[in-house]
Amino acid sequence: MSSEKKLFLLDGMALIYRAYFALSRNPRINSKGLNTSAILGFANTLNDILKNQKPTHIGVAFDTSAPTFRHESYAPYKANREKMPEDLSISIPYVFKLIEGFKIPILTLDGYEADDIIGTLSKKAEKEGFTTYMMTPDKDFGQLVSDNIYMYKPARMGNKAETWGVYEVCERFGIANPLQVIDILGLWGDASDNIPGVPGIGEKTATKLIYEYDSIENLLKNTDKLKGKQKENLENFADQALMSKQLATIMLDVPIEFNAKDLELNEPDVVELKKLFDELEFNTFAKRFFKTIEEEQTNSDEEGQQDLFSEIEEKKSNNIENTTHEYNLITSQKEAEELAKTLLKEKVICFDTETTGLDPNNSELIGISFSIKKHHGWYISLSENYEEAVGMISVFKDILESPDILKIGQNIKYDINILSWYEINVAGPFFDTMIAHYLIQPDMRHNMDLLAETYLNYTPVSIESLIGKKGRNQLSMRNVDIEKVKEYATEDADITLQLMEYFDPELDKTSTKKLFETMEMPLVPVLANMERQGVKLDVKALNDISNKLGSEIIDIEKNIFSLAGKEFNIASPRQLGEVLFEDLAISSKPKKTKTGQYKTGEDILLKLEYKHPIVKEILEYRSLTKLKNTYVDALPTLVNPRDGRIHTSYNQAVAATGRLSSNNPNLQNIPIRTERGKEIRKAFVPANDDYMLLAADYSQIELRLIAHFSGDESMIEAFNNGLDIHGATAARVYGVNYEDVTRDMRSKAKTVNFGIIYGISAFGLSERMGIPRREAADIINNYFEKYPGIRTYMNESIEFARKHGYAETIMGRRRYISDINSANAVVRGYAERNAINAPIQGSSADMIKIAMINIHNELTKNNLKTKMILQVHDELVFDMYREEETIVKKIIEENMRNAIELKVRVDVDINTGNNWLEAH
């Protein structure tokens, strides 16, 4: 053990909360539906400390449920804290098990908070020659810092961990002594702990006053030197200031012994940790953790270390090394033909392709594997010569194109697309294990390795073990030993087959089999066809737009520099913040990040736009540079050299609502609200002069769906009479005739109509519309009075989710909402909004998917040249053969209108043009 005595004291609950909320937008959910975000985050933090900081001593402190002296001296202390979210409270026992598995002492004492325990132990350890690191994101601990006691702020949001000593604390708070943190908190207060402080005094003012007067006590003796409201408040709330200081003071005399021996870092209980990681499905973390431990033990001279891992070895998940299997390599045409005869007799086959890249429209086929029985399979190696490869793969054409054989795959759309370049048009029926799992557990990740480890207790061969990590030195699969490729590739087909056997009955259990078979699987070849078709891009038009934007950006830069009185890096938040808030002083109370840097996000700047003309110029600069860099300059680089077209990739298993997303490029996010953003659509053009683009867009489909779900007679009547729904809403809410609705009334009604879908509050509506909250509340109340069915729908949606734990679309797509019964009002409110919105957004997604399937089938059945090429939100775009315009418009309109039968009329806007902008 190192001669340095290095003690880490962790603020347990603060770190748990931090881990939980860091992943709140993308929580980690395991196959049992348990939210493991807090546990995994804490485990990663703990492992990072042990591995990289090498403490000699360590402990984790927690509060207990017993009241402390702070509660007794001030009853409202921490009284305004929301109840802990249920997902988080369920995690706490697992975190305790984790800490116990690491053999780290848990430090608690009734009547005292974790802060007090850490403070007392830090000071006692300092006297015994320890260097102590208090690991916490909590600013209060700054008061404890000394030459031998540091704050260790954990890494967050991509930022590295920070160590704060005396200098850093004093610099952060603008003070001379860390103890003055207590005085600042006494004046400023602490909303999270309900420490009141002094009214009207924030962090900046508190810092200034303590810098000048050293302490609250001295400040209160000198209030005669102050003026106005500040003087009045300090004199009137002097006792509250002193009490707040007392509440913010961390105790250093907790009756707890500092026993260095008890805090010594010990070897973890690897057997218990393995059990815990298995239960929580921390497969990736466990692999990384145990690999590190095993390497350390292997290098150790201590006896019996191999025995320590004997039980771990026995409990390891299955893999290719310890599982009996029969994977056969096929290299000759004769062997391939024999295999084809065998496969042609089967009703179900699983297959997987091996390629040179991730883009099926710009990669080469290296081989294909098949499996029809667990632990058995074949790998067919293909020549690098394209003609030879086509000749070999053609042996399996009848199998892959047979409508009588079920094809199983993991992300099978990729395999369909790569094979289309080799003259094979793979035909359904399909079973995609990735999409099946998406319907069963939409909030989990769906990659094959994770699914295998979670459901089959099997760890597949990693791609990195064959070709290395990403980077210049990564190999191509063509350069890997053929025997290794055979094992890896056939294992993929074998495991995917086993996953299908597991997921098939699970689809029945979750009542999603029908959705899977009638919508998601028939959609796969439709999307594959769209991706393969691609869309033609006018690169010259984009270059012209780029040059124009470049000139405009230069002009705006000059304006900004002129207004600022100097040149600076506009893209640097630090430099921009200094210009805005120090040089120009456009705000008396600028907000700062936790690192003390001025906040310059769009939300901040929009509120300050009226303060100075430079703000509007900066917002415009950001908008134009993003447009230029993200779209105008990037899109030409994505044009496929094989056919000169852009081929986006559609994702069926990403959005929990059921909506499709796209990437490479992400066409869903092409801006259309600004005139310059719309210009980008000009560059999307037809295949040639015989074609034009046709765009078909659902009109206000989400509002029509809320009318359908709610059954509200007034809203249904407005839609069925062909009225403008926003005008009709304005007429009802404001009590005027439809003909007398003003533009302002309609605009406000539109905001309310769409806001209601997302559960907008009076506060949210007032912010969005720039009106008093009382007026916003009146508008919402009038809305529900005129459309009572909508309020009933919202209440019933919430009740359904409370009872069943999920919301459901018309077609039975489920969105699981685990927090719907949370005692935490913020968490519960978010879940309730999801319960209202999920059936609407999800049914909208279902509608357009059904329409896409039916349109594609009719275009194919009629042997038409027109092709569906893009789907963006509620819009479909077609490369339409001009001579087919009449029949194509009819097919599209009928199938979009009738995709799902609703109680309201469904309108579809159809337009054509020589580019996407004209057609939209």
Side-chain angles (χ1 to χ4, degrees):
M1 188 175 286
S2 168
S3 59
E4 181 192 6
K5 296 191 289 186
K6 188 175 183 181
L7 169 63
F8 261 77
L9 294 173
L10 279 59
D11 183 356
M13 194 54 69
L15 294 173
I16 291 170
Y17 262 95
R18 173 183 164 278
Y20 176 79
F21 285 106
L23 293 169
S24 59
R25 290 183 178 272
N26 184 26
R28 297 292 186 267
I29 310 291
N30 69 9
S31 66
K32 304 175 190 73
L34 175 68
N35 184 337
T36 60
S37 303
I39 316 163
L40 181 59
F42 192 91
N44 276 316
T45 297
L46 191 55
N47 190 46
D48 177 68
I49 290 300
L50 298 176
K51 183 178 177 182
N52 298 315
Q53 297 302 318
K54 308 288 186 189
T56 59
H57 297 71
I58 191 167
V60 185
F62 285 94
D63 300 342
T64 69
S65 57
T68 69
F69 80 93
R70 295 180 180 89
H71 297 91
E72 291 165 1
S73 62
Y74 182 61
Y77 180 67
K78 294 191 176 182
N80 65 349
R81 283 197 172 180
E82 286 282 359
K83 188 171 179 181
M84 185 185 295
E86 280 73 9
D87 274 358
L88 183 51
S89 61
I90 291 168
S91 300
I92 304 299
Y94 288 104
V95 174
F96 274 63
K97 281 186 184 178
L98 179 76
I99 297 168
E100 289 162 0
F102 275 95
K103 292 187 179 177
I104 294 172
I106 293 173
L107 310 169
T108 62
L109 190 63
D110 281 350
Y112 301 93
E113 296 184 39
D115 304 28
D116 302 317
I117 293 169
I118 291 174
T120 299
L121 292 177
S122 294
K123 294 300 180 183
K124 288 185 176 183
E126 183 175 35
K127 291 177 181 176
E128 297 196 21
F130 278 81
T131 302
T132 301
Y133 295 84
M134 305 173 296
M135 187 168 184
T136 177
D138 192 340
K139 61 184 178 294
D140 300 21
F141 282 82
Q143 64 187 269
L144 300 172
V145 166
S146 70
D147 290 341
N148 300 302
I149 301 173
Y150 297 86
M151 277 180 71
Y152 187 89
K153 295 172 73 67
R156 181 180 174 88
M157 307 291 284
N159 297 318
K160 292 181 179 179
E162 298 176 39
T163 301
W164 284 15
V166 173
Y167 173 80
E168 288 79 10
V169 170
C170 291
E171 184 182 46
R172 163 64 179 85
F173 289 100
I175 51 181
N177 184 328
L179 285 172
Q180 290 175 311
V181 169
I182 310 171
D183 296 280
I184 288 174
L185 293 173
L187 293 177
W188 175 18
D190 189 336
S192 64
D193 288 342
N194 210 27
I195 297 175
V198 176
I201 295 184
E203 180 187 4
K204 191 173 181 181
T205 304
T207 300
K208 182 181 176 183
L209 290 170
I210 297 305
Y211 179 80
E212 191 169 348
Y213 294 99
D214 293 329
S215 69
I216 288 179
E217 288 82 359
N218 193 44
L219 171 64
L220 294 175
K221 290 176 185 175
N222 289 278
T223 54
D224 58 305
K225 297 175 184 175
L226 305 175
K227 295 178 183 178
K229 195 71 176 174
Q230 190 178 91
K231 177 179 185 293
E232 182 184 327
N233 282 346
L234 278 165
E235 289 176 347
N236 290 341
F237 293 94
D239 290 343
Q240 185 167 293
L242 292 168
M243 179 196 67
S244 295
K245 179 175 179 177
Q246 183 185 10
L247 293 174
T249 302
I250 294 174
M251 292 185 66
L252 304 179
D253 57 354
V254 173
I256 186 170
E257 292 299 315
F258 175 73
N259 189 325
K261 186 72 178 172
D262 291 346
L263 295 170
E264 276 185 6
L265 181 66
N266 293 302
E267 296 294 343
D269 186 335
V270 290
V271 174
E272 286 304 312
L273 286 176
K274 180 65 170 65
K275 289 177 186 175
L276 181 63
F277 295 158
D278 286 346
E279 181 183 354
L280 296 170
E281 298 171 8
F282 285 0
N283 305 309
T284 303
F285 176 83
K287 261 192 244 176
R288 189 172 70 245
F289 172 74
F290 287 121
K291 182 180 179 183
T292 302
I293 294 290
E294 199 161 4
E295 286 171 355
E296 289 175 358
Q297 302 298 4
T298 302
N299 296 330
S300 171
D301 293 326
E302 295 178 30
E303 295 180 8
Q305 295 299 343
Q306 294 307 313
D307 295 337
L308 185 65
F309 283 89
S310 60
E311 191 168 347
I312 293 292
E313 289 296 328
E314 290 173 15
K315 291 179 177 288
K316 271 187 178 177
S317 64
N318 297 319
N319 56 54
I320 204 163
E321 299 296 333
N322 61 22
T323 302
T324 303
H325 61 279
E326 185 182 332
Y327 296 160
N328 302 288
L329 177 64
I330 306 291
T331 56
S332 71
Q333 192 84 5
K334 184 179 179 183
E335 290 173 323
E337 288 169 357
E338 287 300 313
L339 173 58
K341 289 177 186 176
T342 300
L343 296 177
L344 208 48
K345 298 172 186 175
E346 299 295 321
K347 290 295 181 186
V348 178
I349 65 163
C350 185
F351 77 100
D352 185 57
T353 58
E354 294 305 323
T355 64
T356 57
L358 299 175
D359 178 1
N361 298 301
N362 200 21
S363 298
E364 296 173 14
L365 189 61
I366 296 173
I368 185 169
S369 54
F370 291 98
S371 180
I372 56 175
K373 187 171 69 169
K374 185 177 179 180
H375 303 319
H376 290 73
W378 301 266
Y379 176 68
I380 299 92
S381 178
L382 300 174
S383 169
E384 196 168 345
N385 179 283
Y386 176 76
E387 300 300 332
E388 292 177 9
V390 169
M392 177 74 101
I393 200 74
S394 67
V395 171
F396 304 98
K397 187 177 178 69
D398 289 347
I399 297 154
L400 294 168
E401 294 186 351
S402 170
D404 300 319
I405 299 175
L406 175 70
K407 289 93 181 172
I408 304 162
Q410 166 80 7
N411 189 18
I412 203 168
K413 176 162 60 68
Y414 178 92
D415 305 294
I416 294 170
N417 274 334
I418 192 76
L419 287 167
S420 71
W421 290 99
Y422 287 78
E423 301 178 12
I424 292 179
N425 296 310
V426 184
F430 300 112
F431 191 108
D432 190 318
T433 50
M434 177 182 74
I435 297 170
H437 186 254
Y438 165 69
L439 294 181
I440 295 162
Q441 279 283 7
D443 291 313
M444 271 184 74
R445 289 171 293 151
H446 315 291
N447 67 76
M448 193 199 76
D449 287 2
L450 175 68
L451 300 182
E453 290 173 341
T454 302
Y455 298 101
L456 307 177
N457 190 35
Y458 187 96
T459 303
V461 176
S462 72
I463 184 67
E464 288 186 351
S465 68
L466 267 70
I467 62 175
K469 294 184 177 181
K470 287 181 180 179
R472 285 182 298 177
N473 297 324
Q474 191 176 57
L475 301 173
S476 163
M477 285 287 275
R478 289 200 190 279
N479 304 125
V480 179
D481 178 77
I482 189 66
E483 280 295 321
K484 288 184 178 179
V485 176
K486 178 258 292 184
E487 292 286 286
Y488 168 83
T490 315
E491 180 189 60
D492 277 359
D494 174 18
I495 293 302
T496 302
L497 177 69
Q498 293 180 51
L499 287 171
M500 183 279 289
E501 292 169 349
Y502 187 97
F503 292 150
D504 192 39
E506 290 296 312
L507 288 168
D508 287 317
K509 290 178 188 176
T510 54
S511 302
T512 49
K513 175 70 79 66
K514 184 179 179 183
L515 182 69
F516 180 75
E517 291 181 341
T518 63
M519 184 190 300
E520 296 296 352
M521 287 304 94
L523 185 64
V524 169
V526 177
L527 295 177
N529 193 69
M530 290 169 65
E531 291 178 10
R532 188 164 59 248
Q533 190 69 25
V535 57
K536 189 176 178 183
L537 198 70
D538 185 343
V539 174
K540 183 183 180 302
L542 280 177
N543 288 337
D544 292 342
I545 295 170
S546 179
N547 292 332
K548 185 179 175 184
L549 285 173
S551 299
E552 290 183 40
I553 289 167
I554 290 171
D555 290 340
I556 292 172
E557 265 186 351
K558 290 176 181 176
N559 291 341
I560 291 171
F561 295 154
S562 175
L563 290 165
K566 67 177 185 181
E567 292 191 8
F568 65 99
N569 182 358
I570 304 169
S572 164
R574 183 182 62 78
Q575 292 185 37
L576 177 60
E578 289 169 358
V579 168
L580 294 178
F581 303 116
E582 293 180 9
D583 298 349
L584 301 178
I586 68 170
S587 173
S588 59
K589 293 183 178 179
K591 294 184 177 180
K592 290 186 177 182
T593 65
K594 289 185 177 180
T595 58
Q597 186 172 291
Y598 292 110
K599 289 185 176 181
T600 59
E602 186 176 359
D603 57 332
I604 300 289
L605 296 186
L606 284 170
K607 292 176 182 177
L608 299 172
E609 195 171 354
Y610 69 95
K611 292 273 191 177
H612 196 287
I614 196 173
V615 180
K616 186 176 181 180
E617 295 289 330
I618 289 165
L619 288 168
E620 184 73 354
Y621 173 86
R622 285 182 175 178
S623 173
L624 296 189
T625 52
K626 180 179 179 181
L627 199 64
K628 185 176 188 295
N629 298 337
T630 307
Y631 298 104
V632 178
D633 293 345
L635 284 172
T637 67
L638 297 173
V639 172
N640 192 310
R642 289 179 175 179
D643 59 6
R645 298 169 76 89
I646 275 188
H647 300 266
T648 190
S649 177
Y650 288 100
N651 308 309
Q652 276 176 273
V654 172
T657 57
R659 283 188 177 276
L660 295 171
S661 63
S662 71
N663 63 314
N664 295 325
N666 180 356
L667 299 179
Q668 312 279 0
N669 282 351
I670 289 180
I672 56 170
R673 292 184 179 177
T674 64
E675 288 305 313
R676 291 185 185 89
K678 289 178 181 177
E679 289 283 305
I680 296 174
R681 291 194 171 203
K682 276 187 179 178
F684 290 78
V685 295
N688 55 51
D689 292 342
D690 295 330
Y691 288 79
M692 62 195 313
L693 291 191
L694 180 150
D697 198 358
Y698 275 123
S699 173
Q700 300 168 335
I701 192 61
E702 289 189 348
L703 291 176
R704 293 174 197 271
L705 281 163
I706 200 170
H708 168 81
F709 278 114
S710 68
D712 188 274
E713 293 179 3
S714 298
M715 187 169 273
I716 290 172
E717 181 185 5
F719 275 125
N720 287 344
N721 288 336
L723 298 180
D724 166 53
I725 191 61
H726 304 311
T729 298
R732 288 184 172 277
V733 170
Y734 289 102
V736 299
N737 291 327
Y738 180 75
E739 297 78 14
D740 297 329
V741 170
T742 65
R743 180 178 294 183
D744 182 60
M745 288 177 182
R746 183 188 182 277
S747 175
K748 287 179 178 177
K750 181 178 180 180
T751 303
V752 178
N753 270 330
F754 286 113
I756 290 295
I757 299 172
Y758 296 95
I760 198 167
S761 64
F763 174 76
L765 189 63
S766 69
E767 286 274 296
R768 195 173 297 180
M769 294 170 63
I771 59 175
R773 199 179 303 181
R774 181 68 261 169
E775 183 184 344
D778 289 341
I779 291 173
I780 290 175
N781 289 335
N782 288 342
Y783 184 93
F784 286 130
E785 190 178 311
K786 302 301 180 183
Y787 296 124
I790 293 178
R791 187 188 284 280
T792 302
Y793 160 73
M794 293 168 75
N795 291 337
E796 289 177 349
S797 297
I798 292 168
E799 285 307 310
F800 180 91
R802 281 193 181 130
K803 183 178 178 181
H804 297 90
Y806 60 84
E808 199 169 48
T809 69
I810 295 174
M811 299 302 295
R813 182 186 305 280
R814 292 181 178 181
R815 175 85 185 268
Y816 292 95
I817 307 176
S818 58
D819 295 323
I820 193 69
N821 293 308
S822 174
N824 183 292
V826 175
V827 173
R828 186 177 65 253
Y830 180 74
E832 288 174 351
R833 288 191 289 276
N834 271 340
I836 295 164
N837 182 243
I840 300 165
Q841 275 206 341
S843 294
S844 170
D846 291 348
M847 269 190 87
I848 202 160
K849 285 179 176 179
I850 293 169
M852 290 168 73
I853 293 164
N854 294 339
I855 292 168
H856 172 82
N857 290 343
E858 280 210 50
L859 293 177
T860 304
K861 182 179 72 177
N862 289 290
N863 201 28
L864 298 174
K865 294 181 179 179
T866 297
K867 304 293 180 186
M868 183 159 47
I869 55 173
L870 294 175
Q871 187 274 336
V872 179
H873 304 306
D874 299 323
E875 180 182 11
L876 298 176
V877 182
F878 299 81
D879 217 345
M880 184 190 70
Y881 190 59
R882 290 176 184 269
E883 294 179 12
E884 297 171 351
E885 182 170 356
T886 303
I887 185 173
V888 164
K889 280 185 174 179
K890 184 180 179 185
I891 288 171
I892 292 168
E893 184 167 16
E894 285 184 357
N895 283 289
M896 287 184 75
R897 277 179 178 268
N898 302 316
I900 296 176
E901 187 177 346
L902 301 181
K903 297 171 187 173
V904 294
R905 176 173 130 183
V906 175
D907 286 348
V908 181
D909 298 324
I910 298 179
N911 296 288
T912 58
N914 291 315
N915 59 59
W916 189 7
L917 181 61
E918 284 183 16
H920 180 68

